[in-house]
Amino acid sequence: QLQLVESGGGLVQTGRSLRLSCVASTFIFKNNRMGWYRQAPGNQRELVAWITWSGFTNYSDSVKGRFTISRDNTKNTVYLQMNTLNPEDSAVYYCNTSPVLLAKWGQGTQVTVSS
């Protein structure tokens, strides 16, 4: 069964931190580059960070230096540590392969940052 289950979102104040988690099916996760995406109302979904199977990472300019992506290959889990959050980071966050290989998305996890 193909699954992506995100968790860890919430409502926080500017400057605070959150850690997101995503558990994926082995078929999706194993040997694939995984990414975190986000979509704010009225905006397209954007890729903010990705990580290869071996741990090489890349970030969008908007989150570089504040967010850290990591993965645990024994648990089919990818994480996103988000520090120094600001209201522009408010969005629904999703994980998926990067690039997206299947038209399969989880429910996402809402992150809301208050000013």
Side-chain angles (χ1 to χ4, degrees):
Q1 187 175 3
L2 300 178
Q3 278 193 317
L4 292 157
V5 181
E6 300 91 349
S7 62
L11 172 63
V12 296
Q13 292 181 324
T14 296
R16 303 302 293 266
S17 300
L18 281 174
R19 189 192 193 208
L20 307 183
S21 299
C22 170
V23 181
S25 303
T26 300
F27 181 81
I28 294 173
F29 191 86
K30 190 173 182 179
N31 294 326
N32 284 323
R33 191 166 73 180
M34 294 297 295
W36 279 98
Y37 301 77
R38 67 185 182 186
Q39 186 170 21
N43 292 353
Q44 290 189 333
R45 193 170 297 177
E46 62 168 335
L47 176 66
V48 298
W50 53 257
I51 183 168
T52 65
W53 177 259
S54 60
F56 184 81
T57 60
N58 191 62
Y59 301 90
S60 68
D61 288 343
S62 61
V63 307
K64 195 174 297 182
R66 300 187 298 120
F67 291 10
T68 302
I69 189 172
S70 60
R71 66 192 292 164
D72 185 336
N73 292 339
T74 67
K75 297 181 179 179
N76 287 3
T77 301
V78 60
Y79 305 97
L80 187 67
Q81 176 67 41
M82 306 186 296
N83 298 330
T84 319
L85 286 161
N86 60 62
E88 291 69 39
D89 296 316
S90 297
V92 179
Y93 284 71
Y94 303 87
C95 70
N96 210 324
T97 57
S98 174
V100 178
L101 301 175
L102 298 171
K104 171 70 176 180
W105 292 89
Q107 81 288 348
T109 187
Q110 176 72 50
V111 172
T112 304
V113 185
S114 63
S115 57

